[in-house]
Amino acid sequence: MFFSVGKQNLYPYSEWLILQMIFELQQTNEIIEKISKEEYVLKALGIFQPKKQRKDFFTIKSILEKRYLFLKKNGYQHNEQVKILESNIQQLSQFFCLSHLESAILRVSVYTAIDSILKAVSDMVSIKYDRRIGCDALAHLLRVKGKDIVRSLKEESSLCRFQLISYTGSRLSFGGDLTSLTEWDNLFDIHSLDSELVNFDHWLVKCVHRPHIVSELALDKDFAHISEMTKGLLHYLSYVNETKKKGSNILIYGAAGTGKSEFATLLVQQLNMSAYFVNTANENGEHISAGLRLNNLCLAQHMMNGHRNVIIFDEVEDVFQDSALQHSLGQSHKGWINESLEHNSVPVIWISNNVRDMDVAFIRRFDVVLEMPDLPLDNKRKLIQRMAPEQLPTEDINHLAKQKEITPAMLQRSFAVAKVMCPHNDYYSQYVYDLLNQTLKARGEREIIPLAATRDEHICAYSLDWIACDTNLRKLTDGLRQRPKARICCYGPPGTGKTAWAKWLGEQLNMPVLVKRASDLLDHYVGKTEQNIARVFEQARHSKSILVLDEVDGFLYHRETATHQWERTMVNEMLTQLERFDGVFVASTNLMGDIDAAALRRFDIKLKFNYLKPEQVLAIAQQQLLLWQWPELEGGQVSRLQAIKGLTPGDFAAAARQHIFSPFESVDEWFGALEQESALKKVEPKKAIGFI
């Protein structure tokens, strides 16, 4: 059989590793059999034969064995080709403070990553090796003990901490899972390690960046609602900087666009420290994976140690968020993540939109966990006034401030774009609403009704003078301004202004109003209604909103009349939440007599809303005539109007809406509509809401 032996087309170290794998790992015949089928591997090893000739297993083995014995006796010599490569491996080892053994493992990883022949042969070897045997095999190749390899590949080792080496699952392969250096291709081209020296000076800018956009928010103004926490965080970061405390981590989470990133940046700037954000995209604008972002964080920690810096890791869901189909990166590298959280040398502020799916084991390791609330109504109004151009009217500013779905980030973008799209005043507000609604629609959220569409010139505006209540509502409002904590039950006939008064109260107290009805909370699955009740109270507590629960008799009816156990637990859950709630809670009902006695005792104030008094009926009618530009009522007309019993503000609003699409031709026709609205109140008592 004709073979020719020529010059090896391999790095000397690669050739030595391949020959070791063949003759020292007890798979000689099996590996040679595989190699003999790969012409390109044989050529790289210096073995040539005519293409049509059958490959002779024993001849190939003999040639390789002679070469192995020669290198084993005389050793291999680096040639000029590997000078730069070996220099880079040495520089990487020094930069990451690797031990002698860690550096040797890195050398195996680098050569395997850049040498396709070594990679191919190592894959042939790895098939039969699990993790333990793989570590023993690597130890044999490097002439060290197996336990030393295991120690060098633990998650807290420098190799794994900097993600230079990683292996997962039950199998360790020399050329597969073992090498993760290709994950560093944003810092250097691994395939140029043998031709170009690594430039460490440019690494930091590829890992992190300084914020380049000036925030519209101010720490003392826009975050005054969390001023105590702000002071605490400033003291804590200052302490960490002075004492060089390791393992300092802060988690800030909350709805998207609530100013979490701006808040973190402003905290750092307040202390005259430098804030650096971990990059989410490379210099070509391509998304950086969660694993690579963690690598960049770890590397930035190493490079920035000893300076007045804080690293901000935004969009942390990429790392910690589990899904139904797979574990998060954090779960896959739990030990390494925990090690990083406990020993990071530069403080890190982690930012997330939610932490529902984050493992509590991770949450426990954060020094401070802060839920970022939405801006209070007055803060949001002032922020909009600062951000909005002069084209936006004051009433639109107030209207936008009440929309909980709109975040400061959305407002800032919409104002800027609308100013370019519509430089004149004519349609500026409409452009703002359109831009905001397109964003909300894309996010699957409720769109905003423009103020012009909500303002109906044919219906009287709300006035406290038209509310027939046996309590001085203005005095009550003054008291709530001083102490915004109360549980109020508003009862009376429908249309008397109970829910409208709660919304008016929110404006007076400068608090957002969260209105829920029984139908919003009831669920036919056992236990879900109770969860919904607890969730809405938590939502109101978090947003510091006035919680308004309409049709509360559907929840708080007499427990003695309950026929199912879930009905009792529903009432009990409502009472428990009501007892614990420390904000302003307003319940409205048309059926006061149906409410459980224990629930009534929990209300601090019970406000009875009644039908309009004759003088109130006349006042609201005169205001309505003024809007329609009709003449004032004459004597007989006044008598007829005041003779209608049981009129409410809701009746006047319903008749006014009817007038919009079916205009009244006379006062008598209008009075007829009011009489019909009044007559409709005589209905059967409402039954408790529930499911069979």
Side-chain angles (χ1 to χ4, degrees):
M1 189 69 62
F2 178 78
F3 279 87
S4 64
V5 180
K7 185 178 179 181
Q8 292 78 17
N9 187 23
L10 283 169
Y11 299 112
Y13 185 59
S14 294
E15 182 192 11
W16 173 235
L17 283 176
I18 289 173
L19 294 173
Q20 279 185 291
M21 293 178 191
I22 294 172
F23 293 105
E24 295 182 7
L25 299 183
Q26 300 178 358
Q27 292 189 53
T28 302
N29 292 344
E30 185 177 346
I31 298 172
I32 292 177
E33 184 68 34
K34 293 177 181 178
I35 288 175
S36 66
K37 298 176 182 178
E38 303 294 343
E39 191 74 28
Y40 73 100
V41 176
L42 288 175
K43 286 185 177 180
L45 290 169
I47 301 175
F48 301 90
Q49 64 176 349
K51 290 184 178 180
K52 294 184 178 180
Q53 284 191 338
R54 185 174 60 86
K55 298 176 175 64
D56 189 314
F57 170 84
F58 294 103
T59 303
I60 294 173
K61 180 178 179 180
S62 175
I63 295 172
L64 293 176
E65 189 170 16
K66 286 180 182 179
R67 182 65 179 165
Y68 165 69
L69 292 173
F70 175 83
L71 292 178
K72 185 177 181 181
K73 179 181 179 181
N74 300 293
Y76 65 91
Q77 298 295 324
H78 288 310
N79 53 28
E80 289 295 320
Q81 185 185 10
V82 297
K83 274 190 173 182
I84 293 178
L85 177 59
E86 285 295 323
S87 175
N88 279 330
I89 292 173
Q90 183 179 2
Q91 291 295 320
L92 287 169
S93 299
Q94 293 175 356
F95 182 81
F96 291 109
C97 304
L98 302 184
S99 67
H100 178 73
L101 177 55
E102 289 173 336
S103 180
I105 297 173
L106 178 64
R107 177 174 283 104
V108 174
S109 181
V110 169
Y111 273 89
T112 307
I114 67 175
D115 191 327
S116 60
I117 305 300
L118 176 58
K119 173 70 165 61
V121 176
S122 66
D123 285 343
M124 297 175 189
V125 176
S126 66
I127 294 173
K128 294 289 182 90
Y129 285 89
D130 62 18
R131 180 180 292 190
R132 180 183 62 81
I133 299 176
C135 286
D136 289 341
L138 183 59
H140 180 82
L141 296 179
L142 296 179
R143 307 296 190 255
V144 297
K145 295 179 180 179
K147 64 179 182 181
D148 294 330
I149 294 291
V150 173
R151 188 181 303 114
S152 296
L153 293 178
K154 285 187 175 180
E155 288 189 304
E156 61 268 20
S157 70
S158 295
L159 284 173
C160 292
R161 192 154 44 86
F162 291 110
Q163 290 287 285
L164 292 169
I165 301 290
S166 67
Y167 60 95
T168 57
S170 61
R171 186 171 70 89
L172 181 147
S173 63
F174 305 128
D177 300 328
L178 178 62
T179 176
S180 63
L181 271 175
T182 50
E183 289 292 324
W184 290 81
D185 57 3
N186 71 313
L187 300 179
F188 58 86
D189 180 4
I190 190 169
H191 296 290
S192 67
L193 281 177
D194 59 351
S195 59
E196 297 177 10
L197 291 174
V198 174
N199 188 342
F200 293 98
D201 295 335
H202 297 158
W203 278 25
L204 187 61
V205 295
K206 293 186 176 183
C207 296
V208 294
H209 68 276
R210 299 287 297 274
H212 55 276
I213 299 177
V214 179
S215 175
E216 293 279 349
L217 305 180
L219 202 60
D220 56 341
K221 297 178 181 178
D222 300 305
F223 297 100
H225 55 296
I226 52 170
S227 58
E228 291 303 317
M229 178 59 76
T230 301
K231 292 176 184 176
L233 287 173
L234 289 171
H235 286 307
Y236 177 73
L237 287 173
S238 178
Y239 165 80
V240 169
N241 178 67
E242 292 172 2
T243 61
K244 309 300 179 187
K245 178 182 178 296
K246 292 185 179 296
S248 300
N249 296 276
I250 298 169
L251 174 62
I252 302 176
Y253 71 97
T258 50
K260 301 183 293 296
S261 300
E262 290 91 341
F263 176 71
T265 305
L266 291 170
L267 277 178
V268 179
Q269 293 174 347
Q270 182 79 11
L271 297 170
N272 293 318
M273 299 171 70
S274 299
Y276 289 87
F277 280 80
V278 177
N279 294 339
T280 57
N282 61 22
E283 55 193 6
N284 297 322
E286 299 166 337
H287 176 71
I288 299 177
S289 67
L292 188 51
R293 294 186 72 209
L294 280 175
N295 292 349
N296 290 347
L297 170 65
C298 193
L299 182 58
Q301 289 273 349
H302 184 67
M303 299 179 72
M304 297 167 65
N305 190 15
H307 302 282
R308 291 176 57 85
N309 300 314
V310 175
I311 299 176
I312 300 173
F313 198 116
D314 206 348
E315 300 178 15
V316 75
E317 301 94 310
D318 292 348
V319 176
F320 294 111
Q321 206 89 332
D322 282 330
S323 72
L325 300 178
Q326 64 181 26
H327 285 306
S328 66
L329 183 71
Q331 286 289 354
S332 303
H333 298 74
K334 196 168 185 177
W336 179 75
I337 294 286
N338 289 339
E339 176 74 14
S340 298
L341 288 173
E342 292 172 359
H343 297 97
N344 54 298
S345 55
V346 180
V348 181
I349 299 177
W350 306 73
I351 297 175
S352 176
N353 290 339
N354 69 75
V355 294
R356 288 194 304 270
D357 298 320
M358 187 182 292
D359 192 326
V360 293
F362 292 134
I363 296 178
R364 286 198 300 267
R365 284 174 166 79
F366 291 103
D367 302 319
V368 181
V369 178
L370 169 64
E371 183 178 14
M372 179 64 69
D374 194 8
L375 291 174
L377 186 61
D378 192 47
N379 297 53
K380 201 169 185 178
R381 184 185 295 114
K382 291 177 180 177
L383 175 64
I384 296 173
Q385 286 174 340
R386 292 206 312 271
M387 292 167 54
E390 295 180 356
Q391 297 103 305
L392 195 66
T394 302
E395 54 266 30
D396 280 306
I397 291 176
N398 295 332
H399 184 59
L400 289 172
K402 297 175 185 176
Q403 313 305 317
K404 293 188 289 294
E405 298 85 356
I406 302 178
T407 63
M410 290 171 59
L411 288 166
Q412 186 173 359
R413 285 192 296 271
S414 297
F415 290 152
V417 174
K419 190 174 182 179
V420 175
M421 295 175 68
C422 181
H424 306 294
N425 293 354
D426 297 347
Y427 302 103
Y428 178 79
S429 296
Q430 186 60 48
Y431 270 91
V432 169
Y433 283 110
D434 288 345
L435 289 167
L436 289 170
N437 280 332
Q438 289 299 326
T439 302
L440 291 170
K441 184 179 180 180
R443 290 169 52 171
E445 298 183 19
R446 178 182 63 86
E447 295 184 30
I448 308 163
I449 301 175
L451 183 62
T454 63
R455 189 191 299 119
D456 198 323
E457 298 177 355
H458 297 278
I459 300 176
C460 295
Y462 181 86
S463 172
L464 209 59
D465 294 331
W466 302 330
I467 299 299
C469 181
D470 53 1
T471 302
N472 188 330
L473 296 178
R474 286 189 172 83
K475 183 178 180 181
L476 173 61
T477 303
D478 292 339
L480 289 173
R481 283 196 187 95
Q482 302 299 319
R483 187 180 183 278
K485 295 181 180 181
R487 290 164 293 191
I488 305 170
C489 179
C490 302
Y491 67 98
T496 50
K498 301 181 290 295
T499 305
W501 173 77
K503 294 178 179 178
W504 175 86
L505 180 64
E507 294 181 0
Q508 303 306 305
L509 300 185
N510 193 28
M511 295 174 66
V513 179
L514 179 62
V515 180
K516 294 293 180 180
R517 293 175 177 80
S519 56
D520 298 327
L521 305 180
L522 284 166
D523 196 289
H524 59 280
Y525 287 108
V526 175
K528 285 292 292 182
T529 298
E530 290 84 345
Q531 293 178 19
N532 293 340
I533 292 171
R535 188 178 296 113
V536 74
F537 272 93
E538 178 57 33
Q539 183 182 352
R541 185 179 295 108
H542 169 64
S543 60
K544 293 181 171 55
S545 300
I546 295 177
L547 177 55
V548 180
L549 187 57
D550 209 354
E551 304 169 350
V552 74
D553 45 275
F555 285 104
L556 297 179
Y557 49 80
H558 293 289
R559 280 170 287 184
E560 309 87 67
T561 63
T563 56
H564 301 89
Q565 179 60 33
W566 63 263
E567 294 176 298
R568 298 185 183 89
T569 58
M570 181 182 68
V571 175
N572 291 337
E573 179 64 27
M574 179 64 75
L575 294 178
T576 300
Q577 293 295 336
L578 187 59
E579 189 73 35
R580 295 175 178 173
F581 190 60
D582 59 354
V584 178
F585 174 79
V586 179
S588 69
T589 178
N590 302 331
L591 305 170
M592 187 66 162
D594 291 350
I595 295 183
D596 189 272
L600 288 175
R601 289 195 299 270
R602 284 171 168 80
F603 287 106
D604 305 313
I605 306 168
K606 304 170 188 65
L607 301 178
K608 183 179 181 180
F609 287 71
N610 218 325
Y611 298 118
L612 292 171
K613 300 174 182 177
E615 59 271 22
Q616 292 176 313
V617 169
L618 183 58
I620 193 171
Q622 289 173 338
Q623 181 64 33
Q624 187 68 74
L625 290 170
L626 189 62
L627 289 175
W628 290 343
Q629 297 182 354
W630 283 15
E632 293 185 3
L633 297 177
E634 299 175 355
Q637 293 174 326
V638 171
S639 301
R640 181 185 171 184
L641 177 63
Q642 293 182 330
I644 303 174
K645 302 299 182 184
L647 282 177
T648 67
D651 296 332
F652 278 94
R657 288 193 297 271
Q658 181 180 341
H659 178 66
I660 295 172
F661 55 83
S662 180
F664 304 125
E665 296 183 0
S666 65
V667 171
D668 288 340
E669 195 173 338
W670 176 38
F671 286 174
L674 290 174
E675 289 169 343
Q676 287 181 355
E677 292 294 333
S678 176
L680 288 174
K681 297 189 184 70
K682 299 176 182 179
V683 295
E684 295 295 324
K686 188 172 74 170
K687 296 180 180 179
I689 298 174
F691 296 96
I692 297 176

